[in-house]
Amino acid sequence: MAYEVPDLPYGYDALEPHIDEATMRVHHDKHHQAYVDKVNAALEDTEWEDRPIEEVLQNLDSLDEGKRKVVRNNGGGHANHSFFWQILSPDGGGAPSGRLFDAIDDGFDSFDDFKREVREAGIAQFGSGWVWVVKDGDDAVSITSTPNQDTPVMDGKTPILGIDVWEHAYYLKYQNKRPDYIEAIWNVVNWEEVQRRFEGR
Ligand code: MN
């Protein structure tokens, strides 16, 4: 069964005014669909076509050399966007609680300091890419970034939060102001889902 773009778990306009409807439509229906179409075409009739995308991304070296780059970019795009839609919510925002709060509290001066470091990592990512919060063992988190559609999953890591900093994620509303987009996205982070992933539930 080929990969499919999952439906958004909310309406296209549900994240307004922080992420606008026009951006969500083109991002989900066009960009994500294109990643899915291209990775499906690359994996068709190979032993990898029915495998979870995360497993494929952890085994790129096993693919034919001529397919590695297209699967890395488009399979990564499929995995990253499927993840991204889930960790956003119109009921999001606020702050985490429980063990995730403790992990952030232990690793950073404050929640605001954590958010500042995420924002700075997102700004520092030159060109297209993602900024991530990954699980570091049971009790800690760290911030990292990747270029293009690379994902910490490729290195066997567990991302719990990811922010798409490709221009297509924000340009219609925020133009060149990536910092404003990152600042706005905190209003729609689905901390319940981020916590679920941190706790491995
Ligand atoms: Mn994107």
Side-chain angles (χ1 to χ4, degrees):
M1 171 99 172
Y3 302 120
E4 292 178 357
V5 177
D7 289 339
L8 286 178
Y10 36 76
Y12 291 102
D13 62 351
L15 305 180
E16 292 264 13
H18 311 292
I19 304 181
D20 59 294
E21 177 177 358
T23 295
M24 289 301 288
R25 286 192 181 278
V26 71
H27 201 178
H28 178 270
D29 293 4
K30 306 296 183 190
H31 289 281
H32 191 168
Q33 187 66 55
Y35 297 127
V36 164
D37 292 345
K38 287 176 187 166
V39 70
N40 282 341
L43 294 180
E44 192 175 7
D45 298 329
T46 72
E47 61 176 310
W48 295 96
E49 68 176 339
D50 292 324
R51 310 282 272 277
I53 191 63
E54 291 79 9
E55 192 183 334
V56 175
L57 292 170
Q58 286 166 0
N59 290 282
L60 290 171
D61 289 347
S62 307
L63 298 172
D64 287 350
E65 208 175 335
K67 292 188 184 256
R68 278 178 210 161
K69 192 172 177 188
V70 70
V71 172
R72 178 176 186 156
N73 288 338
N74 294 283
H78 175 44
N80 289 343
H81 289 83
S82 298
F83 175 90
F84 188 54
W85 312 133
Q86 296 293 326
I87 55 96
L88 301 177
S89 167
D91 303 319
S97 58
R99 282 172 48 202
L100 178 56
F101 175 86
D102 294 339
I104 292 172
D105 198 46
D106 286 348
F108 301 86
D109 290 341
S110 65
F111 184 53
D112 281 344
D113 183 54
F114 162 79
K115 289 197 288 187
R116 183 182 55 74
E117 290 201 23
V118 170
R119 186 172 69 244
E120 286 177 1
I123 294 166
Q125 174 56 43
F126 184 76
S128 297
W130 291 73
V131 57
W132 304 96
V133 179
V134 299
K135 191 172 162 168
D136 257 353
D138 282 341
D139 305 316
V141 293
S142 60
I143 297 167
T144 186
S145 59
T146 57
N148 304 312
Q149 294 296 352
D150 285 359
T151 157
V153 169
M154 287 171 181
D155 301 322
K157 294 180 182 164
T158 304
I160 61 169
L161 176 64
I163 302 176
D164 188 345
V165 297
W166 282 58
E167 284 188 345
H168 70 221
Y170 62 85
Y171 207 84
L172 291 180
K173 182 176 173 74
Y174 295 96
Q175 291 82 46
N176 60 322
K177 298 186 284 289
R178 187 189 285 182
D180 290 2
Y181 155 73
I182 297 175
E183 197 56 41
I185 216 166
W186 296 117
N187 294 300
V188 290
V189 168
N190 182 352
W191 285 111
E192 209 167 294
E193 176 65 15
V194 177
Q195 283 170 218
R196 188 186 70 75
R197 291 171 183 270
F198 180 70
E199 292 171 13
R201 286 187 273 126

